[in-house]
Amino acid sequence: MLASDRNHDKISTITTTDPGNEPADFDRAISTTGYGLFNVLLLLAVLPIAWAAVFDTTSSAFILASAECDLQLITYFRKGMLVAFPYVAMTMSAFLWDYITPYISVKTLFILASLGDSILNIVSSAVQKYYIFLLVKFMSGICVGGPLAMAMTYLTEFHSTRYKPRFTIWTGFLFAMANIIPAALGMIILPLDWHIEILKQDYNSWRIYLLICSIPSVVGLLTAFMLPESPKYLMAIGRSDAALKLLKRIYCMNTRQPADTFPIKALFVQQKTQLARPMLEASLERMRISLYNTKLLLTTTAYLPAFGFVSFLQFGSMLGFNTMRLWVPHLFIILNNFDQDNWTLKHRRQPTICEMLDVNATLPARQYLNCSNFDDVCLRWTINPDVYRNSTIIASSAVLFSFLAGFIMTTKLRKQIIMLMALLISAASSFGINWAQSSPYMLTLAAAVIVTTRIAGNIVTAVNVDVIPVPLRVTSTSILVTIGNIGAILGNLIFSALLDTECIIAFVGLGCFFSVCFCVSLFFPQSVKESPAKLAEISTSKS
């Protein structure tokens, strides 16, 4: 709710037959409901909605080898575009979700987004052309960008301050588990020589894989219909009777007590809300506030060092994590197709990773080497399930170690030490991967980059909470999400372009970039502590 509206709101209450009960605000009312069965079921219902976004940004990476001929993926850059496009859509549509959420309930947005994403995912499995597939993935990215950002906020509105910190940690862990499932499904489905005719269309293994990866969106659509409106939202739009009824229901399910024993009998309710204002006017006001806060973060001497620190390291960690995790499956499929016998006849040393990634040195390319149009030849790779099994292990390790690191980084010194170690390992692994000269060692170094950059990204999020004042924290967090997506986009595009031109620079460049991030992390920022007068000035500027 905007402060300018809040100043003119009138307070009303739900009256009851018991005048002895004082009206309660939202925080007191939600605290009274406790924690129990309702909260668990609510989390399970929202889980597939959040997972859908991860599936959409991950599944494309696992079909690159299988769909190379069907989608004309003849260059690394075309593959990089395919992997990066959902992030492009999420970045471009972020502002849209920010400005429509105050006017449409989260439940409605969940339903619309899940419906659109379900249809698009099913359509993507039947697409024959590369650019149409890009368009479908772009539209899918628009659909899932908003629900992913809103899911955690929606869930926390059903929890009191007492339960929020621990609930947020475990919910983040369950959301991150979605990174493991696409790899596990790829291990089971993609190596199979499946051909199923559906509506006169031949569905091979990668198309069936995409159909199965659409399940979270479909399940999320079904569960979205069963979700309740947020009680906070109901109070904001004046539906106080519905809010109180929902709170009683939550209390009943959590405590196993009759609903009529709920101790809160009346609620403070705002009669007039920002929803009564014209949508365009209120949206412009929200934009003005966001721009003002962004200006403070970027131009004020007190905020700029801390915000610049978290922004740069967010960009670096998300670039490394989303580039390496999305490219490891495809790169190691190619490494498993390396023509080792032919190499051994010509050379007396072990090949580097870049030499193994040269399509001319692979087994499928052997029969086409004398063709004049070799660059236009589509190679059919042998899909080794061990590659996807290793990807599953790597994804599981990244999720588990980043989760456990959260229990260790309880002080500023620990955060800085873990950050330095993570970035140092990332840099060393990126430099060393090209000269490892053995696929298991290459895989280990690639896995180290994925795990450590994931940990570094989690630390950046924690540092942002520590160093940015509360009035600016929502803005800074929103900007960091966008910066992370931009890092994923640029990382995949630049990395794929370098694989086509100067492969060694792709890996050495990552090492150099992580080295810069390591140097930056030496200058850990102090918390920005403004005087009460300054913070009041920031809050006043929003009205």
Side-chain angles (χ1 to χ4, degrees):
M1 178 177 298
L2 299 177
S4 56
D5 293 314
R6 195 183 298 120
N7 294 336
H8 299 89
D9 289 348
K10 296 180 180 179
I11 302 296
S12 66
T13 65
I14 304 174
T15 57
T16 66
T17 56
D18 184 2
N21 289 288
E22 295 184 358
D25 60 12
F26 171 78
D27 290 334
R28 179 186 163 200
I30 200 66
S31 297
T32 309
T33 61
Y35 182 91
L37 178 62
F38 178 89
N39 304 91
V40 173
L41 294 177
L42 185 70
L43 174 58
L44 294 177
V46 173
L47 206 57
I49 299 173
W51 276 23
V54 181
F55 273 59
D56 281 9
T57 57
T58 305
S59 58
S60 297
F62 289 92
I63 66 168
L64 294 180
S66 303
E68 184 160 323
C69 294
D70 294 337
L71 295 179
Q72 303 87 44
L73 303 175
I74 55 178
T75 65
Y76 283 117
F77 187 72
R78 285 171 73 91
K79 297 171 185 177
M81 286 281 289
L82 188 65
V83 171
F85 241 57
Y87 290 101
V88 175
M90 292 168 68
T91 302
M92 293 179 63
S93 62
F95 75 95
L96 174 65
W97 292 105
D98 285 343
Y99 294 115
I100 66 174
T101 47
Y103 309 98
I104 304 176
S105 72
V106 173
K107 176 181 178 178
T108 302
L109 290 176
F110 281 164
I111 292 172
L112 295 177
S114 298
L115 175 62
D117 189 49
S118 299
I119 295 172
L120 290 168
N121 277 321
I122 294 172
V123 169
S124 70
S125 67
V127 169
Q128 304 285 342
K129 300 296 183 181
Y130 173 75
Y131 289 105
I132 297 178
F133 194 89
L134 280 183
L135 177 62
V136 172
K137 295 305 291 184
F138 180 85
M139 296 172 64
S140 181
I142 293 176
C143 288
V144 298
L148 180 63
M150 293 184 295
M152 186 67 77
T153 301
Y154 171 79
L155 287 172
T156 54
E157 288 183 355
F158 289 86
H159 296 78
S160 65
T161 306
R162 175 184 175 185
Y163 299 107
K164 277 183 183 179
R166 181 172 296 181
F167 174 81
T168 301
I169 292 173
W170 284 99
T171 302
F173 175 71
L174 292 176
F175 282 6
M177 291 283 288
N179 288 283
I180 303 172
I181 311 301
L185 290 174
M187 176 182 64
I188 298 170
I189 299 168
L190 293 175
L192 300 176
D193 186 22
W194 278 358
H195 291 276
I196 300 175
E197 186 173 331
I198 302 177
L199 300 176
K200 297 182 179 181
Q201 162 105 14
D202 178 39
Y203 274 70
N204 53 16
S205 57
W206 73 264
R207 296 185 185 278
I208 296 171
Y209 172 77
L210 288 183
L211 275 179
I212 294 176
C213 284
S214 68
I215 290 177
S217 299
V218 176
V219 175
L221 175 61
L222 298 177
T223 59
F225 280 103
M226 297 183 285
L227 292 175
E229 298 287 6
S230 162
K232 197 170 188 177
Y233 175 79
L234 291 174
M235 293 174 66
I237 62 175
R239 295 182 57 191
S240 51
D241 53 342
L244 187 59
K245 183 178 179 180
L246 174 58
L247 291 168
K248 289 181 178 180
R249 176 179 155 206
I250 298 173
Y251 172 81
C252 179
M253 292 182 66
N254 285 345
T255 64
R256 305 299 177 89
Q257 298 294 324
D260 55 11
T261 62
F262 185 56
I264 305 298
K265 304 302 181 183
L267 298 173
F268 282 116
V269 179
Q270 302 288 341
Q271 280 188 336
K272 180 182 177 182
T273 73
Q274 66 171 340
L275 303 181
R277 301 178 63 183
M279 183 172 179
L280 178 59
E281 178 186 345
S283 295
L284 291 175
E285 179 68 10
R286 286 167 58 85
M287 185 179 296
R288 184 190 71 81
I289 294 170
S290 296
L291 291 175
Y292 178 80
N293 289 347
T294 303
K295 179 183 177 182
L296 284 178
L297 291 169
L298 296 177
T299 61
T300 307
T301 305
Y303 305 124
L304 183 57
F307 183 67
F309 176 90
V310 294
S311 297
F312 183 79
L313 292 184
Q314 171 78 349
F315 177 82
S317 59
M318 290 299 98
L319 182 149
F321 174 69
N322 287 305
T323 299
M324 195 60 71
R325 80 177 179 94
L326 295 174
W327 274 97
V328 158
H330 184 57
L331 294 184
F332 280 85
I333 286 291
I334 298 176
L335 294 182
N336 274 268
N337 283 264
F338 178 64
D339 192 349
Q340 183 67 51
D341 293 338
N342 192 34
W343 176 271
T344 304
L345 291 174
K346 296 180 180 180
H347 305 276
R348 295 183 179 179
R349 60 176 178 82
Q350 288 294 320
T352 65
I353 192 172
C354 285
E355 290 168 335
M356 295 176 72
L357 291 175
D358 183 358
V359 293
N360 293 278
T362 59
L363 287 169
R366 182 186 289 183
Q367 59 181 315
Y368 301 108
L369 291 177
N370 296 325
C371 296
S372 58
N373 61 337
F374 177 79
D375 291 339
D376 298 326
V377 171
C378 170
L379 302 178
R380 294 194 177 275
W381 307 104
T382 299
I383 308 299
N384 188 340
D386 288 344
V387 172
Y388 299 126
R389 182 192 63 196
N390 292 333
S391 295
T392 305
I393 295 172
I394 293 171
S396 302
S397 300
V399 172
L400 179 61
F401 284 113
S402 60
F403 175 70
L404 294 177
F407 293 98
I408 301 173
M409 52 185 191
T410 53
T411 65
K412 176 185 174 182
L413 179 60
R414 289 183 178 181
K415 291 173 186 174
Q416 185 171 18
I417 291 174
I418 297 173
M419 174 78 80
L420 289 170
M421 292 176 59
L423 294 174
L424 183 60
I425 293 172
S426 299
S429 299
S430 299
F431 283 127
I433 193 172
N434 187 60
W435 294 280
Q437 297 187 339
S438 174
S439 291
Y441 294 137
M442 295 173 186
L443 181 64
T444 301
L445 294 173
V449 174
I450 296 171
V451 173
T452 53
T453 51
R454 174 75 188 208
I455 292 173
N458 286 0
I459 296 175
V460 170
T461 303
V463 172
N464 176 65
V465 173
D466 291 341
V467 301
I468 302 298
V470 173
L472 300 175
R473 197 171 293 161
V474 173
T475 301
S476 67
T477 301
S478 177
I479 294 174
L480 288 182
V481 171
T482 301
I483 289 174
N485 288 337
I486 293 174
I489 295 167
L490 293 180
N492 280 286
L493 295 181
I494 295 173
F495 187 79
S496 60
L498 289 174
L499 288 177
D500 277 325
T501 54
E502 297 291 341
C503 173
I504 189 172
I505 298 179
F507 296 101
V508 174
L510 278 177
C512 293
F513 184 67
F514 292 141
S515 298
V516 175
C517 292
F518 173 82
C519 294
V520 171
S521 64
L522 292 171
F523 303 96
F524 229 64
Q526 299 292 330
S527 298
V528 180
K529 296 181 179 180
E530 292 288 357
S531 64
K534 179 64 175 178
L535 293 179
E537 179 185 341
I538 296 173
S539 300
T540 303
S541 68
K542 299 180 180 181
S543 60

